[in-house]
Amino acid sequence: MDLNDILETFKSLANEANREGMARFGIKSETAFGVNIPVLRKMAREIGKDHTLALQLWEQPYHEAKLLATLVADPKQTDSQMMEKWVKDFYSWDICDQCCGNLFEDTALAYQKAQVWAAREEEFVRRAGFVMMARLAVSDKKAENQKFEEFLYLIKTYSTDSRNFVKKAVNWALRQIGKRNWALNEKALEAAKEIYSQDNKTAKWIAADAMRELENDQIRKRIKY
């Protein structure tokens, strides 16, 4: 399946109801056909990893082309220059999250980019940094606690960013780190309390929501041993 075949498939699967649904979830759907993620994942399995095709797809003006690109790109061939180009192209939260989860978290630069991007001002670049933290906290089972303790400083630093897509990602990262194991649960709760002490509405929301989950008896029982 080459680029033209893929674009023709998108056109044949166009679904206005799906496009309207995307918009309701805050997804920028002006350039979308309305092809849903399960269909794109099925296409990606049929294609396999094809980094050249991924680069071609990313340059297309269509929403689904970028999503499919994140699924067929090869993390081993994904270098810093490519990551920086793609992250600057993020324009919707789903593109951001899918790219981080499907591709960026599996690269050798995942931890480095998480820290660098979290400190950047652009909304979806900063979101990407915190999404990477949340994803790595779940997927990288062998990572040492220190890697995630370093993230907590950035979570505290940017906990006052009131932009919706940023604050939700900051909250997500804090919660996922705190659910990783007992030691990080205590560290995350300590950070949450520091965040909550700030005289800032966004910080208080991030902290209160995280504490509600991280102090849950079932979660703490699961990670205690």
Side-chain angles (χ1 to χ4, degrees):
M1 185 178 286
D2 63 15
L3 179 62
N4 289 331
D5 292 333
I6 291 168
L7 296 181
E8 287 302 315
T9 299
F10 288 160
K11 292 174 184 177
S12 72
L13 295 172
N15 187 310
E16 184 61 27
N18 285 350
R19 287 183 72 252
E20 293 173 359
M22 292 167 66
R24 286 195 296 273
F25 281 96
I27 296 170
K28 292 186 178 179
S29 58
E30 294 87 350
T31 62
F33 291 102
V35 182
N36 60 36
I37 291 293
V39 172
L40 294 175
R41 291 193 181 280
K42 183 175 184 294
M43 291 176 66
R45 287 193 295 271
E46 293 171 355
I47 295 167
K49 293 300 180 187
D50 188 331
H51 202 69
T52 299
L53 177 60
L55 296 176
Q56 294 174 340
L57 285 166
W58 190 263
E59 294 306 313
Q60 301 304 305
Y62 307 112
H63 196 79
E64 287 84 356
K66 286 182 168 53
L67 289 172
L68 185 59
T70 72
L71 290 162
V72 301
D74 182 357
K76 293 179 181 178
Q77 296 184 64
T78 301
D79 59 16
S80 179
Q81 182 178 2
M82 174 183 159
M83 293 174 79
E84 289 296 333
K85 181 187 184 308
W86 283 27
V87 79
K88 289 175 185 175
D89 289 340
F90 291 169
Y91 60 86
S92 184
W93 68 264
D94 65 317
I95 294 285
C96 172
D97 294 10
Q98 290 291 331
C99 191
C100 291
N102 297 334
L103 178 63
F104 287 170
E105 72 169 282
D106 294 323
T107 67
L109 296 170
Y111 283 89
Q112 177 187 330
K113 293 300 183 183
Q115 296 200 42
V116 170
W117 292 341
R120 294 257 290 275
E121 184 61 29
E122 305 100 307
E123 182 175 12
F124 288 112
V125 177
R126 180 167 291 172
R127 178 181 173 89
F130 289 108
V131 169
M132 291 281 279
M133 295 178 196
R135 295 285 313 183
L136 289 165
V138 174
S139 65
D140 192 355
K141 306 295 185 184
K142 296 181 180 179
E144 296 182 356
N145 285 356
Q146 181 182 350
K147 287 180 175 288
F148 300 98
E149 290 172 8
E150 291 173 0
F151 288 160
L152 291 174
Y153 170 77
L154 290 161
I155 288 170
K156 289 187 286 185
T157 300
Y158 296 104
S159 61
T160 58
D161 190 326
S162 63
R163 291 174 292 183
N164 188 51
F165 293 121
V166 174
K167 73 177 185 180
K168 288 186 175 180
V170 173
N171 170 265
W172 184 16
L174 180 58
R175 288 186 292 108
Q176 294 305 129
I177 290 170
K179 291 189 291 183
R180 187 173 168 86
N181 57 48
W182 184 261
L184 285 173
N185 181 270
E186 293 188 322
K187 291 283 188 180
L189 280 170
E190 181 181 326
K193 290 171 183 175
E194 287 184 45
I195 292 168
Y196 191 82
S197 69
Q198 299 180 79
D199 184 20
N200 181 277
K201 182 178 178 181
T202 297
K204 289 187 182 300
W205 176 84
I206 288 171
D209 184 75
M211 286 189 287
R212 186 162 45 249
E213 184 166 359
L214 298 180
E215 290 176 336
N216 179 275
D217 289 340
Q218 289 185 327
I219 289 173
R220 285 170 67 81
K221 184 177 180 180
R222 176 176 61 80
I223 64 177
K224 190 167 185 178
Y225 302 105

